């Protein structure tokens, strides 16, 4: 038992005091519920503050890239079709290259067959009668020996090679000429193959050009900072940019309005170097800094 008691004065007596004592538990629960609600409200306030900060960050990014976003919206159909056009061009280039290679192979084979194969002859005498002279690389099939006879430049005559082969699947000279053409036609085929290869190269170049990427960076007139060695520098966000991108010299988009275009070109003239970074572009002005905001376009070198 405690030695002392804390005494509280109350005007409640009898039933009223009994009722108040019975409600102490409810009061304590209400206090606990209020504390929980306060904690949840505090957490909601923190979440709201974080959401506001995130919205502010993305709002800044959108503002800095407003012109780029508008350009994408204005050219959405072209942007969406670029990948398909590039894929189509690459497919055409691959098909043209394969056709060129196949045509060249057929041309070489046709030339070898046309110049080398002389056909089938019943006897060696029939072969010699039809071709008193020949050239190295020419050959014929003789029926009585069922072997291949070749022209021997050393003995200047036809010699039995002794090679017995099943040549039933090979073309005779007449069949080869009919299917693959004469020497002149073979040369024409080779020329066509060369033209096909050139077309394949042109198609590949078109495919590369179709996939060239353009980056947009917006530099604010108020964002330039002095460099210790002199001049000014500014680094801005640039969607998709990497440190490995090698860009062509920056350009600006003309509007057709003389004063606007002159201001943009004057601002661009102040930018003397650009550096590509991960997700950013850094511009350097070694003399004067641009007096107006300027949006530059960087085309990747392919």
């Amino acid at each position: 038992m405690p030695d002392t008691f804390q005494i509280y004065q109350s005007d409640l007596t009898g039933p009223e005091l009994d009722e108040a004592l019975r409600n102490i538990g409810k009061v304590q629960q209400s206090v606990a519920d209020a504390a929980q609600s306060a904690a949840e409200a505090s957490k909601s306030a923190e979440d709201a503050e974080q959401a506001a900060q995130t919205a502010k960050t993305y709002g800044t990014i959108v503002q800095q890239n407003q012109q780029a976003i508008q350009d994408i919206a204005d050219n959405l159909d072209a942007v969406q079709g670029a990948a398909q056009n590039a894929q189509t061009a690459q497919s055409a280039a691959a098909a043209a290259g394969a056709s060129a290679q196949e045509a060249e192979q057929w041309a070489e084979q046709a030339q070898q067959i046309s110049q080398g194969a002389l056909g089938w002859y019943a006897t060696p005498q029939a072969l010699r009668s039809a071709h008193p002279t020949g050239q190295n690389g020419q050959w014929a099939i003789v029926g009585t020996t069922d072997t291949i006879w070749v022209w021997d430049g050393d003995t200047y005559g036809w010699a039995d090679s002794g090679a017995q082969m099943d040549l039933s699947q090979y073309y005779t000279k007449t069949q080869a000429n009919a299917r693959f053409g004469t020497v002149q036609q073979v040369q024409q085929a080779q020329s066509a193959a060369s033209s096909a290869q050139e077309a394949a190269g042109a198609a590949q170049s078109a495919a590369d050009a179709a996939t060239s990427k353009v980056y947009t960076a917006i530099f604010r007139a108020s964002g330039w900072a002095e460099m210790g060695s002199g001049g000014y520098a500014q680094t801005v966000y640039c969607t998709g940019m990497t440190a490995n991108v090698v860009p062509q010299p920056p350009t600006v988009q003309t509007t057709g309005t003389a004063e606007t275009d002159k201001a943009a070109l004057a601002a661009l003239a102040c930018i003397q170097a650009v550096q590509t970074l991960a997700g950013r572009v850094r511009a350097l002005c070694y003399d004067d800094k641009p007096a107006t905001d300027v949006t530059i376009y960087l085309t990747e070198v392919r």
Side-chain angles (χ1 to χ4, degrees):
M1 298 288 292
D3 295 334
T4 60
F5 296 91
Q6 182 69 37
I7 299 175
Y8 297 93
Q9 297 295 328
S10 173
D11 294 333
L12 300 177
T13 61
E16 294 177 346
L17 182 59
D18 292 340
E19 181 67 21
L21 292 174
R22 282 195 297 270
N23 291 328
I24 287 178
K26 296 181 180 179
V27 172
Q28 290 175 336
Q29 182 62 44
S30 297
V31 171
D33 292 343
Q36 178 65 27
S37 298
E40 293 176 354
S42 176
K43 181 63 168 59
S44 298
E46 292 178 359
D47 293 343
E49 182 179 1
Q50 181 63 37
Q53 183 62 38
T54 301
K56 181 179 179 181
T57 300
Y58 281 105
T60 301
I61 295 174
V62 170
Q63 183 179 9
Q64 291 178 340
N65 294 273
Q66 184 175 4
Q67 183 61 48
I69 295 172
Q70 185 61 47
D71 290 342
I72 292 174
D74 293 341
N75 298 277
L76 184 59
D77 291 341
V79 172
Q80 291 176 333
Q84 181 62 41
N85 293 337
Q87 183 176 2
T88 301
Q90 288 175 337
S91 298
S99 298
Q101 183 177 4
E102 183 177 358
E104 184 176 2
Q105 292 174 349
W106 279 113
E108 291 177 356
Q109 182 176 355
Q111 185 176 22
Q112 293 173 356
I113 294 175
S114 297
Q115 292 179 349
L118 298 181
W120 181 91
Y121 295 89
T123 65
Q125 292 76 13
L127 171 60
R128 295 188 182 98
S129 176
H131 300 282
T133 61
Q135 297 179 358
N136 288 334
Q138 289 184 327
W139 56 275
I141 303 171
V142 175
T144 55
T145 61
D146 287 331
T147 57
I148 298 174
W149 288 60
V150 298
W151 179 261
D152 188 350
D154 296 331
T155 61
Y156 202 70
W158 290 101
D160 186 354
S161 68
Q164 294 184 339
M165 297 177 60
D166 180 11
L167 299 177
S168 60
Q169 301 300 319
Y170 286 78
Y171 293 117
T172 65
K173 185 177 186 305
T174 301
Q175 292 171 328
N177 285 342
R179 183 172 180 84
F180 302 109
T182 63
V183 174
Q184 182 179 4
Q185 291 172 327
V186 169
Q187 292 173 344
Q188 292 174 349
Q190 289 176 326
S191 177
S194 177
S195 298
Q197 286 180 327
E198 293 178 0
Q204 186 62 52
S205 297
D208 292 341
T211 56
S212 293
K213 191 169 183 180
V214 178
Y215 301 87
T216 304
I218 302 175
F219 293 90
R220 303 296 179 187
S222 59
W224 298 100
E226 292 189 22
M227 297 187 294
S229 58
Y232 303 88
Q234 184 177 165
T235 302
V236 299
Y237 291 104
C238 183
T239 303
M241 180 61 71
T242 69
N244 296 327
V245 171
V246 178
Q248 296 180 5
T251 60
V252 294
Q253 187 175 24
T254 58
T255 64
T257 303
E259 294 302 323
T260 301
D261 291 347
K262 287 180 180 179
L265 291 171
L268 178 63
C270 295
I271 298 177
Q272 295 167 308
V274 293
Q275 181 183 7
T276 58
L277 305 168
R280 296 173 297 161
V281 172
R282 186 169 185 256
L284 304 175
C285 304
Y286 297 121
D287 297 316
D288 295 331
K289 61 181 179 179
T292 62
D293 296 348
V294 59
T295 300
I296 68 170
Y297 298 87
L298 299 169
T299 301
E300 183 177 1
V301 175
R302 291 297 181 96

